[in-house]
Amino acid sequence: MKNENIKDENNLLKGYIMMLYFSGSMVMFDPSTECVYDFWTKGMLKQLPVSSPNPDFVKAAALLRQSTERAQNKHELLKEDYLRLFSGIGKPLAPPVESVYRSDEHIMFDRSTEEIRNIYRKHSWESKFKNKIPDDHLGIELLFLTHLIEKYINSQAILERQSLTNEIVEFIQEHMLSWVPRWKDDVVNNASTLAYRGIALLVSASLEDIKKIIGENARK
C-alpha cells in the first residue's frame, strides 16, 4: 500500500477510534451530566467523524442526530435507559457482556472469558477497570480493540502491521461480531431513547467497517 493510502487509512481509523471511545463509555458508565452536555448540547453527534455506506451506520448517524434535537431531560432519560438495559436492579434487557451471549446457560464468566484474558495477557494489556468491570464487558473489549488499532496505526514495520492486521480481524470476528449483533438487536428492541438505539447500531456497524477496512487494505 502506498504511503498516502496508509495515511488516509490511519486517519479513517482514528475517526472510528473516537466513536468506539464514545460508545464504550456510554455502555460502561452511568451517563454523567457532563458527558450528556458535551456530546448532546454541544452538537458533537450531529456530524460523526466518519461516514459509511453501512446500513446500520447510516441508521445510527440518523438516530444520534435526531437525539440531539430532544434535549429536554436528556440526562434522566439516558440514565433510566442505561439502568434498564445494562445494569440496575433485576435482569438487564441487554447485558453488554460476551459470556452472557455466548454461554448456553446465559451466565457471566465461562470459557470465552478466560479466552479474552489470555488475549489481553498475550499483548501485555490489562484493563484499568480490572476486578471492577468484567474483562469481557463490551466497553473493555472496545478499549482493547482501540489499543490494537492504535498500535496498528503507529506501526512502521510491515511485518508488525501484517501481524496486527490478523490479530484485529480475528479479535473482531471471534470475540465481538460473534455476539454484538444479537446484543445490538436487544438494545434496539428494548431501548426507550433514540440515543442508545443509535449507539448499539454504531458499535455493530463500526466493528464491521473496521474489519473490512483493515482486512481489505492488508490484501492490497
Side-chain angles (χ1 to χ4, degrees):
M1 187 186 295
K2 295 181 180 179
N3 287 337
E4 57 266 29
N5 292 336
I6 291 177
K7 183 177 180 180
D8 289 342
E9 177 192 359
N10 288 347
N11 288 334
L12 180 60
L13 290 173
K14 287 176 183 178
Y16 278 102
I17 285 175
M18 290 176 60
M19 294 188 297
L20 295 184
Y21 275 130
F22 158 69
S23 302
S25 67
M26 291 297 293
V27 172
M28 270 201 297
F29 306 115
D30 176 353
S32 68
T33 303
E34 293 78 10
C35 176
V36 173
Y37 177 80
D38 287 341
F39 286 109
W40 274 272
T41 60
K42 286 187 176 181
M44 295 180 181
L45 297 178
K46 290 182 179 179
Q47 184 65 49
L48 297 179
V50 303
S51 59
S52 167
N54 186 314
D56 276 354
F57 192 100
V58 174
K59 292 177 186 176
L63 287 170
L64 291 171
R65 188 166 54 249
Q66 291 175 48
S67 74
T68 65
E69 300 168 359
R70 305 179 183 182
Q72 189 174 9
N73 300 322
K74 180 66 66 183
H75 178 244
E76 290 77 8
L77 292 173
L78 285 173
K79 183 174 181 178
E80 180 181 316
D81 226 10
Y82 171 88
L83 293 174
R84 288 176 58 254
L85 294 167
F86 313 133
S87 183
I89 299 173
K91 185 178 180 181
L93 298 175
V97 181
E98 177 181 350
S99 52
V100 172
Y101 280 87
R102 296 189 65 189
S103 168
D104 293 336
E105 292 80 22
H106 300 288
I107 57 175
M108 291 179 60
F109 193 87
D110 66 354
R111 186 177 63 184
S112 64
T113 308
E114 189 58 34
E115 289 174 1
I116 283 289
R117 289 180 175 175
N118 287 336
I119 294 172
Y120 296 167
R121 293 190 194 104
K122 176 183 176 182
H123 289 272
S124 301
W125 187 85
E126 184 176 284
S127 166
K128 61 181 178 180
F129 303 105
K130 187 177 181 180
N131 300 322
K132 295 180 181 179
I133 299 176
D135 286 328
D136 64 337
H137 188 286
L138 176 59
I140 303 300
E141 292 189 0
L142 289 175
L143 282 176
F144 175 68
L145 178 60
T146 60
H147 168 72
L148 290 183
I149 297 173
E150 286 170 346
K151 284 182 64 176
Y152 174 85
I153 289 172
N154 294 322
S155 175
Q156 301 298 316
I158 294 176
L159 290 179
E160 181 185 21
R161 197 171 173 97
Q162 289 175 340
S163 176
L164 285 167
T165 293
N166 296 332
E167 296 277 0
I168 291 168
V169 169
E170 182 177 356
F171 183 74
I172 291 175
Q173 184 60 43
E174 299 298 325
H175 288 283
M176 304 204 79
L177 291 180
S178 58
W179 68 278
V180 167
R182 285 178 289 155
W183 169 81
K184 170 203 70 178
D185 290 341
D186 284 344
V187 175
V188 170
N189 292 332
N190 291 288
S192 58
T193 60
L194 296 176
Y196 272 115
R197 291 178 202 162
I199 288 168
L201 288 162
L202 183 65
V203 170
S204 184
S206 294
L207 293 174
E208 292 173 353
D209 288 354
I210 292 169
K211 177 189 171 186
K212 183 177 180 181
I213 291 166
I214 292 180
E216 287 188 350
N217 285 340
R219 286 190 290 274
K220 293 178 183 177

